[in-house]
Amino acid sequence: MNETLAPGLREWLEYLREIGVRELAVGAAREAPQAPVGARAGLAQEDAPEEPAAPRPSRAQCGELFPLAAEATAERDPARGLAEIREELGECTRCRLHQGRTHIVFGVGNPRARMMFVGEGPGADEDAQGEPFVGRAGQKLNEMIRAIGLRREEVYIANVVKCRPPENRAPLPDEIATCAPFLFAQIEAIRPKVIVALGGPAAQTLLGTREGITRIRGRWHAFRGIPVMPTFHPAYLLRQYTPENRRKVWEDLKAARARMDQDP
Ligand code: URA
């Protein structure tokens, strides 16, 4: 590998190679591959470890990638930080997903949210409206948020990828690798007290693991010092609306609320 790489970039590229990324789209997007794609984890299968873990550039790398956002974060101005990240994202063509999108779905909510929810990627409704979780899964997520005594406007909601994958397929590793730094920067800007990762891809991306959601949900993990509670995706819950699954999600959400309240 080239010796003149920026500090930290080598590790990141090596990490990408480890998780199976063989190509990165830099600048213009590439053609979509013909490889078969998995069903969206958390939707079809609760435990879909076949989606690889996503890269986790370090905080310093995020600072290099988003210097203005990092400055705003240092000054505890999350709204400005988010605006800088949105500006940097621009009319993104970094990966092939831009080809089929109507709107970029950046994220919504309170820049000073104490709880953040992270999903997988926009579906048709979100693509049409430019806002995450506005379809059926969104109704379920709203119910989940209300169940723990919060309002949608109080939390922040974002996704791992900001453009809708075709046919609602799971985002591919290189798409996640390209888009996740924007999510990570959003998290750094907001610095929530707690993150709820909705479904396998979100949890795997934040935690850098390949473990399926069934195994990792219900236990505390961390993303750069911020507690992360993985739970089932609301769309999965809609499909598998069993008392057992409802109880598990309820336990996870209650734990997230209690953890948030511990840190006023
Ligand atoms: N599913 C997600 O993961 N995110 C959305 O925004 C909508 C559905």
Side-chain angles (χ1 to χ4, degrees), residues 21 36 39-41 44 46-47 69 82 85 103-104 111 115 144 150 155-156 158 164 184 197 210 223 227 231 263:
V21 176
R40 294 183 85 166
E46 70 190 48
D47 202 4
L82 290 172
I85 298 159
H103 289 111
I104 290 180
M115 189 177 295
M144 289 160 60
L150 296 172
V155 303
Y156 195 89
R164 181 193 182 196
F184 299 162
R210 292 173 196 228
F223 174 83
T231 195
D263 192 352

Side-chain angles (χ1 to χ4, degrees), residues 31-50:
E31 288 281 292
Q34 297 306 304
V37 292
R40 294 183 85 166
L43 304 190
Q45 274 181 299
E46 70 190 48
D47 202 4
E50 63 280 355

Side-chain angles (χ1 to χ4, degrees), residues 90-101:
E91 276 308 299
C92 185
T93 56
R94 292 170 181 83
C95 88
R96 68 185 76 77
L97 291 183
H98 81 277
Q99 290 162 351
R101 77 162 178 246

Side-chain angles (χ1 to χ4, degrees), residues 40-41 43 105 118-127 131-138 141 152 157-161 198 202 233-235:
R40 294 183 85 166
L43 304 190
V105 180
V118 177
E120 177 179 332
D125 295 313
E126 291 76 20
D127 177 62
E131 183 171 328
F133 284 99
V134 290
R136 276 190 74 223
L141 177 61
R152 184 173 163 106
I157 307 171
N159 282 307
V160 170
V161 294
L198 301 166
H233 193 286

Side-chain angles (χ1 to χ4, degrees), residues 20 22 25 52 60 76 80 83 116 132 155 186 200 209 212 219 241 249:
R22 293 285 172 268
R76 285 305 296 140
R80 182 158 68 85
M116 181 162 173
V155 303
Q186 286 172 293
T209 177
R219 282 185 289 121
Y241 202 58
V249 171

Side-chain angles (χ1 to χ4, degrees), residues 21 35 38 85 142 202 205 232:
V21 176
I85 298 159
N142 292 347
T205 300
F232 293 136

Side-chain angles (χ1 to χ4, degrees), residues 185-243:
Q186 286 172 293
I187 295 172
E188 289 286 359
I190 297 165
R191 293 296 297 172
K193 302 295 178 199
V194 138
I195 300 171
V196 178
L198 301 166
Q204 290 162 355
T205 300
L206 291 175
L207 306 177
T209 177
R210 292 173 196 228
E211 280 210 88
I213 189 69
T214 302
R215 253 162 277 138
I216 54 177
R217 65 144 286 280
R219 282 185 289 121
W220 285 107
H221 305 259
F223 174 83
R224 298 187 189 158
I226 301 171
V228 175
M229 175 55 74
T231 195
F232 293 136
H233 193 286
Y236 171 74
L237 201 56
L238 281 171
R239 291 164 59 106
Q240 304 286 331
Y241 202 58
T242 64

